[in-house]
Amino acid sequence: MEKFDGVDYMEIDGLFSEEEILIRDTARKFVQDRLIPIIEKHSREGTFPKDLVPEIAELGFLGANLEGYGCAGLNNVAYGLIMQELERGDSGFRSFVSVQGALCMWPIYAYGNEEQKKKYLPGMAAGKLIGCFGLTEADFGSNPSGMLTNARKDGNSYILNGSKMWITNGGIADLAIVWAKLDGRIRGFIVEKGTPGYSTSDIHGKFSLRASVTSELAFQDCRIPAENLLPNADGLKGPLGCLNQARYGIAWGGIGAAMACYHEALEYAKTRIQFDRPIASFQMVQEKLAWMIREITKGQLLALQVGRLKDQGKAKAHHISMAKMNNVDVGLQCARLGRAILGANGITDEYQCGRHMCNLESVYTYEGTHDIHTLIIGEAITGIAAYK
Ligand code: TGC
Ligand code: FAD
């Protein structure tokens, strides 16, 4: 595979600080040297490259934009650049890091008490404790407020009943952040692996995110200590607040996958000969490549602007929605176009475009489907919610 030196049509690198570039290049090197050589094998076999977790922990990639508790305390742009590079490698690997940092460490950090933070965050930053985030249920995906999983207080415990579906990291997680209704209000609970009444089963047969573990979680009279309730999250805005963090990272990730596909398709087009000429010399191939670089460039600027707003405390949920939906869509379209440029070769896993294309079908759906983000933008500009 050709060495990847980045995709920067509009001198956007000049908008990053030296530190941001340094962090991005560290992530880029990790992906090039450690992830890309093994990812096709894991994707083919349907296994998660767990051996890499200590390495990314050592690099400070887990909960990288959180302060203290063993976390790197990076700004949101540097964090986003890490997500971009990881997803250039594989969306499933980026998912692992998103779930760990944005969906599990962040709620403990933002909604937990000091004891909870001290108990879990250093181990999670070090990659010694893996987390998963249970919001979706089989019958409540886009509409999580209808969830049936429930908790009731019993002495000094809560008892959980219900199930969660499509949960990234579920089968390998040491702890789950579980959203359940307590007296009709959605609350967050920390459930540790091995708690009686808590079980997981992995979902097989996926054609997407094959290098990521996706599981069902089941709770049957699962008794957890009362101190495992996250005290500062009350109502649906609790889990939705976590989704803002993860969707933000995905906005960068989608562009990372797009960059991988563009780079692969461009290199291929320059050397693939048909009709005695490189296919890159044909107008219809150039049109595809020009579309890709145009949309990647716009997506880079969108992610960067949301990142700068986030660092200033000004990023709104609907800003993040636009960046997530646009950049994942761009990633998916670039993967399809790249696959087309690769011709028959594009359907094998010797090349990356096909894997990115399949992966991005999940990313298009999870963390709020493309359509749900369209409606969030619609609500922001009209003041009218059209979900129900
Ligand atoms: P709605 O009545 O609009 O809102 C309920 C309360 O929440 C507040 N709120 C938010 N708060 C923080 N961040 C946001 N983004 C928020 N959006 C809304 C809102 O102000 C309200 O607060 P309050 O004080 O009045 O109670 O809720 P709704 O039931 O109408 O739903 C709105 C909708 C459809 C947008 C929401 O349910 C939604 O986003 N649905 C999509 C579900 C989703 O994204 N699930 C993702 C599951 S996790 C996952 O996919 C992980 S993938 C693995 C990986 O990341 O790699
Ligand atoms: P549905 O909500 O049934 O939607 C089906 C279709 O209907 C979609 O096209 C949708 O856009 C459309 N639709 C629904 N409602 C509306 C509406 N009001 N207006 C217009 N169109 C609408 N969840 C977690 O909690 N934790 C995880 O770690 C996690 N990881 C995941 C990993 C993978 C690989 C996948 C595929 C999913 C994961 N999810 C996770 C679940 C994910 O968040 C949901 O799949 C997603 O929210 C959509 O829910 P659904 O699949 O039930 O689709």
Side-chain angles (χ1 to χ4, degrees):
M1 186 179 300
E2 296 288 330
K3 185 168 179 294
F4 181 81
D5 287 321
V7 174
D8 186 9
Y9 183 81
M10 203 62 82
E11 298 193 18
I12 293 171
D13 272 9
L15 301 175
F16 298 121
S17 70
E18 270 180 34
E19 192 194 1
E20 288 161 354
I21 296 271
L22 191 70
I23 291 160
R24 182 203 60 193
D25 290 349
T26 303
R28 182 168 289 171
K29 186 167 175 359
F30 165 80
V31 168
Q32 199 67 35
D33 295 349
R34 305 291 296 142
L35 182 59
I36 287 186
I38 59 160
I39 193 61
E40 289 303 351
K41 180 170 179 287
H42 280 283
S43 192
R44 194 179 277 188
E45 292 172 2
T47 52
F48 170 67
K50 204 173 172 195
D51 293 354
L52 295 182
V53 172
E55 290 183 43
I56 51 171
E58 185 67 31
L59 288 168
F61 292 172
L62 301 178
N65 56 349
L66 306 181
E67 296 270 355
Y69 308 98
C71 303
L74 302 182
N75 73 11
N76 284 291
V77 171
Y79 167 82
L81 286 165
I82 294 172
M83 296 296 137
Q84 171 189 287
E85 293 304 317
L86 293 179
E87 194 142 0
R88 183 176 70 77
D90 188 73
S91 302
F93 197 76
R94 194 273 308 139
S95 282
F96 172 85
V97 177
S98 286
V99 168
Q100 177 81 350
L103 293 182
C104 296
M105 295 174 73
W106 189 86
I108 295 172
Y109 184 83
Y111 305 141
N113 57 34
E114 203 48 40
E115 289 73 47
Q116 292 168 336
K117 292 182 206 185
K118 284 189 182 142
K119 181 170 178 192
Y120 297 109
L121 291 179
M124 295 180 85
K128 292 187 175 136
L129 290 176
I130 292 175
C132 70
F133 175 89
L135 177 64
T136 304
E137 300 185 358
D139 293 329
F140 298 94
S142 297
N143 177 26
S145 75
M147 69 173 64
L148 300 177
T149 300
N150 61 83
R152 71 180 162 82
K153 187 98 196 270
D154 184 41
N156 206 20
S157 313
Y158 290 103
I159 298 177
L160 266 57
N161 278 288
S163 62
K164 298 288 172 181
M165 191 64 180
W166 303 113
I167 307 306
T168 301
N169 299 351
I172 55 169
D174 300 292
L175 61 117
I177 304 294
V178 179
W179 300 94
K181 283 184 180 161
L182 175 68
D183 302 325
R185 296 286 295 171
I186 294 175
R187 305 295 305 265
F189 300 87
I190 303 169
V191 181
E192 295 187 7
K193 183 179 181 174
T195 307
Y198 170 43
S199 60
T200 68
S201 51
D202 292 346
I203 297 168
H204 297 290
K206 295 182 298 174
F207 59 74
S208 176
L209 295 188
R210 291 186 48 76
S212 163
V213 175
T214 316
S215 317
E216 181 173 4
L217 315 182
F219 307 94
Q220 203 171 15
D221 291 328
C222 174
R223 182 181 287 271
I224 58 166
E227 63 260 26
N228 285 19
L229 171 75
L230 291 172
N232 302 318
D234 184 13
L236 185 60
K237 61 179 182 290
L240 292 182
C242 309
L243 298 184
N244 294 335
Q245 310 307 313
R247 290 166 175 174
Y248 167 71
I250 293 170
W252 287 88
I255 289 301
M259 285 158 73
C261 296
Y262 167 78
H263 179 254
E264 181 171 73
L266 177 61
E267 295 307 316
Y268 185 88
K270 287 194 285 196
T271 54
R272 172 75 179 167
I273 308 293
Q274 288 295 294
F275 301 97
D276 303 322
R277 290 159 57 185
I279 60 169
S281 67
F282 298 123
Q283 289 182 359
M284 291 180 79
V285 173
Q286 288 192 6
E287 191 276 336
K288 290 182 182 62
L289 291 166
W291 188 93
M292 290 161 87
I293 191 66
R294 187 184 90 198
E295 292 304 320
I296 288 170
T297 302
K298 288 191 277 182
Q300 288 169 327
L301 291 169
L302 186 55
L304 176 58
Q305 172 63 359
V306 177
R308 294 283 181 237
L309 287 177
K310 198 166 186 308
D311 278 330
Q312 294 161 23
K314 291 188 199 160
K316 304 250 173 29
H318 63 264
H319 297 144
I320 294 170
S321 281
M322 183 181 282
K324 189 269 181 185
M325 78 173 277
N326 183 77
N327 290 2
V328 173
D329 197 29
V330 167
L332 187 52
Q333 305 287 1
C334 285
R336 288 174 181 157
L337 288 172
R339 210 292 307 152
I341 290 172
L342 291 163
N345 281 319
I347 69 151
T348 71
D349 63 8
E350 195 183 329
Y351 292 87
Q352 304 173 68
C353 286
R355 174 170 49 82
H356 280 298
M357 184 174 75
C358 292
N359 281 343
L360 288 160
E361 290 291 347
S362 282
V363 186
Y364 189 86
T365 286
Y366 72 32
E367 290 282 2
T369 68
H370 187 82
D371 298 340
I372 288 296
H373 289 295
T374 302
L375 297 180
I376 292 171
I377 296 170
E379 182 180 8
I381 58 180
T382 65
I384 305 164
Y387 320 105
K388 309 171 193 176

